[in-house]
Amino acid sequence: MLTVANIDLYYSAAIALKGVSLQAGLGEVTCLLGRNGVGKTSLLRAIIGHHPIRSGKIQWDGADITSLRPYERARRGIAYVPQGREIFPLLTVQENLETGFAVLPRGKKQVLDEIYDLFPVLRSMLKRRGGDLSGGQQQQLAIARALVMKPRLLLLDEPTEGIQPSIIKDIGRVIALLAARGDMAIVLVEQYFDFARELANRIAVMDRGEIIINDLTERLDPEIVRSHIAV
């Protein structure tokens, strides 16, 4: 289980996260909802280690990882798909996938057929440059690259942003399949409540750097949630 306990995060003198606590278990999807700028991405970056926290603790798989560097957290099975995808535009699809090998032991550096089963379009595009793919295809590539690492904790930052509805459905299907296997915890940042409600076991709503709602999905009042995320 991932346990984020009462963390504070600052950018210079500005506070980005204040007393945030969150848990995510294997076989579950935990979704973070909220308006732009409320701290959702900052929380993911704190978990992956891109920004040091001022106070609090982050634990994963029974160990305190608060002081570990990002590559050390990646080696412990934590993968991050950033907002905006951030694939390598001049590398081919195959080369982008192989960047996920960095954290794997030498004998396990291979792209499993399961990746192509989840994202069939990538199999036919292995020699194409990442920058030549559509936005939706790049998003699939970004998720596939993270899965090459064989993670046990997958952090997804707004994977539906700016892509066509058909691929949004494909991504939702993949997230549901990964969660159903029971060996991966998934933390999903979203702005679309309906998409989140279909997938999430638990939903946390953020506002001004704090979590103001955190409960099982079936126990939440949809209208109250929507009132906190509407622009």
Side-chain angles (χ1 to χ4, degrees):
M1 177 177 286
L2 169 73
T3 301
V4 176
N6 201 35
I7 67 170
D8 293 341
L9 185 149
Y10 285 76
Y11 298 124
S12 298
I15 187 165
L17 299 174
K18 181 179 180 182
V20 170
S21 296
L22 186 76
Q23 290 187 329
L26 296 177
E28 296 180 352
V29 178
T30 301
C31 185
L32 289 167
L33 292 171
R35 302 180 181 93
N36 287 331
V38 298
K40 305 185 302 295
T41 294
S42 294
L43 178 52
L44 292 195
R45 289 176 175 171
I47 294 170
I48 198 62
H50 285 178
H51 291 294
I53 60 175
R54 179 77 60 89
S55 60
K57 183 181 293 187
I58 301 173
Q59 292 182 300
W60 166 242
D61 203 18
D64 186 349
I65 64 169
T66 309
S67 61
L68 296 185
R69 296 182 179 182
Y71 72 86
E72 294 172 316
R73 302 186 197 203
R75 287 175 178 169
R76 289 175 180 250
I78 303 177
Y80 175 45
V81 181
Q83 185 179 18
R85 301 176 281 275
E86 295 186 13
I87 56 102
F88 297 100
L90 298 182
L91 298 185
T92 66
V93 167
Q94 181 173 344
E95 290 166 340
N96 267 278
L97 292 173
E98 290 175 352
T99 62
F101 289 169
V103 300
L104 298 176
R106 181 171 298 176
K108 295 185 177 181
K109 294 185 176 184
Q110 57 181 323
V111 181
L112 300 178
D113 286 340
E114 177 195 28
I115 302 294
Y116 302 121
D117 292 339
L118 293 172
F119 300 107
V121 69
L122 298 181
R123 192 191 299 271
S124 62
M125 296 184 170
L126 290 176
K127 301 305 179 184
R128 292 183 62 179
R129 293 194 306 181
D132 295 334
L133 273 58
S134 70
Q137 291 164 348
Q138 289 183 10
Q139 186 65 71
Q140 292 178 85
L141 175 57
I143 298 173
R145 177 180 60 185
L147 295 178
V148 167
M149 298 168 53
K150 301 178 177 66
R152 296 180 65 239
L153 172 60
L154 180 63
L155 309 175
L156 298 164
D157 195 350
E158 297 201 27
T160 64
E161 182 183 34
I163 61 176
Q164 56 267 47
S166 61
I167 294 184
I168 290 176
K169 291 181 180 179
D170 288 340
I171 290 173
R173 174 184 55 82
V174 168
I175 293 172
L177 286 171
L178 294 173
R181 295 191 322 195
D183 59 358
M184 182 186 298
I186 299 173
V187 178
L188 168 68
V189 164
E190 257 304 324
Q191 287 197 12
Y192 300 114
F193 176 63
D194 291 335
F195 181 80
R197 184 168 58 171
E198 289 183 7
L199 293 171
N201 302 91
R202 177 176 290 273
I203 288 177
V205 179
M206 297 191 69
D207 189 25
R208 298 182 182 180
E210 300 181 78
I211 290 180
I212 58 174
I213 297 173
N214 188 355
D215 207 341
L216 296 175
T217 304
E218 64 266 23
R219 295 207 299 231
L220 292 173
D221 183 331
E223 295 310 312
I224 292 178
V225 174
R226 287 192 175 98
S227 71
H228 287 290
I229 64 177
V231 176

